[in-house]
Amino acid sequence: MNVLVVLATILFLLMVLIGGKKGAKSFISLFLNFGVLLITILFMNNPNNSPIILTIIACVVISCISLFYINEVNRKTIAAFISTIITIVILLFFIVVVAKKSMIQGFGEEEIDELSIFSLYIGVDFVKIVASVIIMSTIGAIMDVAISISATMHKIFSHNPLISRKDLFTSGISIGRDILGADTNTLFFAFFGGYLALLLWFKDLSYSIGEIVNSKVFSAEIIMILCAGIGIALSIPIASWISAYFIMKTTEKKKV
C-alpha cells in the first residue's frame, strides 16, 4: 500500500509540474474513469442489463471526462468526441461478429483448474463481455488519436486560414499515419509486457508454436490487439473528416 501511495504521489507531482492545471485534471480523471469502469462492471453483473449498451454509455462518459473535463468544451474536443463515439459504435458491431466467429469468449483450458471450484453458470453472455473488454481496452488509444488529429488540424488552420477542406483533410490523414505506427506498437508491447508470464508458462508446458497460437487465452489477446489496431486506423479518417468539417463550418458561420 505504501508503494502505491508513493508512486501515485510521484505521478501526481510530475503531472502537475509538467502539465500544470491540465496535469492535475488528468490525474483526477484517472480516478474518475476508474470509478466509471467499476460502476459499469457492477451493472454488467445483472443479467437483465446489456453489456453492449453499458459499454457504449461508459465510453461516452469516459470520453466526456477525458476530453471535456481536461481540455474543456471547444471545437477540438467536440470534434474528437464525435469521432471517438462514431469509431466505437462501428467497431463494436464488428467486434461482436468477430467474437462470435472466433469463439474466444469464456475461459481457456489453462484456467479451468483454478476455476473448477466456482460455478460458471453466471447468466451473462460472454460474447458481449468479450466485445466490451476489447472496446474498453481500445477507448484510450482511439481518444488519443482523435484529439491529436483534431488539435493539430486546428493548429494548421490557424497558421493557414486559406487552406481548403480537402487539403485540411489530407493533412489530418498524414498526421494519422505518423500516429498509427506508434499507437499500434504500444498496444502490441503492452500485451507482451502484461502476458510475459503466460508465455513463459506456455514454454514450461512445452507448447508448440501451433498450440500457443491456437490456445484461447493467447488468441483472445491477439484478436484484442488486432481489433484495437483496426479501431485506431478507422478513427484516423473519421477524425480527419469531422475535424475538417467543424473547422470549415465554424469559419463559414463567422464570415456570415
Side-chain angles (χ1 to χ4, degrees):
M1 188 65 180
N2 292 333
V3 175
L4 295 177
V5 173
V6 171
L7 291 175
T9 303
I10 294 172
L11 176 62
F12 175 74
L13 293 174
L14 288 174
M15 291 179 77
V16 172
L17 182 64
I18 297 171
K21 186 178 179 181
K22 280 190 177 181
K25 285 185 175 182
S26 299
F27 183 80
I28 295 172
S29 71
L30 293 175
F31 295 93
L32 295 177
N33 288 334
F34 175 75
V36 172
L37 291 175
L38 186 61
I39 293 171
T40 303
I41 292 170
L42 293 175
F43 275 103
M44 281 184 183
N45 197 40
N46 187 340
N48 296 322
N49 296 328
S50 172
I52 301 297
I53 295 175
L54 289 173
T55 300
I56 293 175
I57 294 172
C59 288
V60 171
V61 177
I62 290 171
S63 298
C64 289
I65 293 172
S66 300
L67 294 173
F68 299 139
Y69 173 69
I70 297 174
N71 300 295
E72 301 178 352
V73 180
N74 50 54
R75 288 188 304 176
K76 293 181 290 186
T77 53
I78 292 173
F81 174 77
I82 295 174
S83 304
T84 300
I85 299 305
I86 291 174
T87 304
I88 286 172
V89 171
I90 295 172
L91 190 63
L92 193 55
F93 286 108
F94 172 75
I95 288 172
V96 171
V97 174
V98 171
K100 285 182 178 179
K101 296 296 183 181
S102 60
M103 300 181 68
I104 58 173
Q105 71 275 8
F107 305 99
E109 61 182 16
E110 294 84 8
E111 302 165 302
I112 293 300
D113 290 340
E114 293 148 8
L115 298 170
S116 58
I117 60 174
F118 301 105
S119 172
L120 301 180
Y121 297 99
I122 58 177
V124 176
D125 188 343
F126 268 84
V127 173
K128 295 179 180 178
I129 294 295
V130 168
S132 299
V133 169
I134 297 174
I135 288 294
M136 289 296 186
S137 62
T138 312
I139 177 74
I142 292 175
M143 279 192 299
D144 178 54
V145 171
I147 191 62
S148 297
I149 291 175
S150 179
T152 308
M153 288 177 67
H154 277 78
K155 185 67 68 176
I156 291 171
F157 182 78
S158 66
H159 284 86
N160 185 11
L162 300 177
I163 190 172
S164 65
R165 181 185 294 184
K166 182 180 178 180
D167 290 338
L168 192 59
F169 173 77
T170 304
S171 299
I173 295 294
S174 179
I175 296 161
R177 286 170 181 163
D178 294 334
I179 299 172
L180 181 61
D183 279 6
T184 306
N185 279 313
T186 299
L187 293 171
F188 179 77
F189 287 113
F191 160 73
F192 276 98
Y195 281 84
L196 184 59
L198 175 65
L199 298 175
L200 292 174
W201 186 28
F202 283 154
K203 175 66 171 58
D204 291 338
L205 293 174
S206 300
Y207 272 29
S208 65
I209 297 297
E211 288 173 324
I212 293 175
V213 172
N214 287 288
S215 67
K216 180 177 286 190
V217 178
F218 184 84
S219 59
E221 294 301 323
I222 293 298
I223 288 173
M224 285 185 186
I225 293 173
L226 295 176
C227 289
I230 291 170
I232 293 170
L234 190 63
S235 66
I236 292 172
I238 293 175
S240 300
W241 188 90
I242 291 177
S243 297
Y245 174 81
F246 262 80
I247 292 170
M248 292 302 175
K249 197 72 174 177
T250 307
T251 305
E252 290 171 3
K253 287 183 178 179
K254 286 181 179 180
K255 288 180 179 178
V256 174

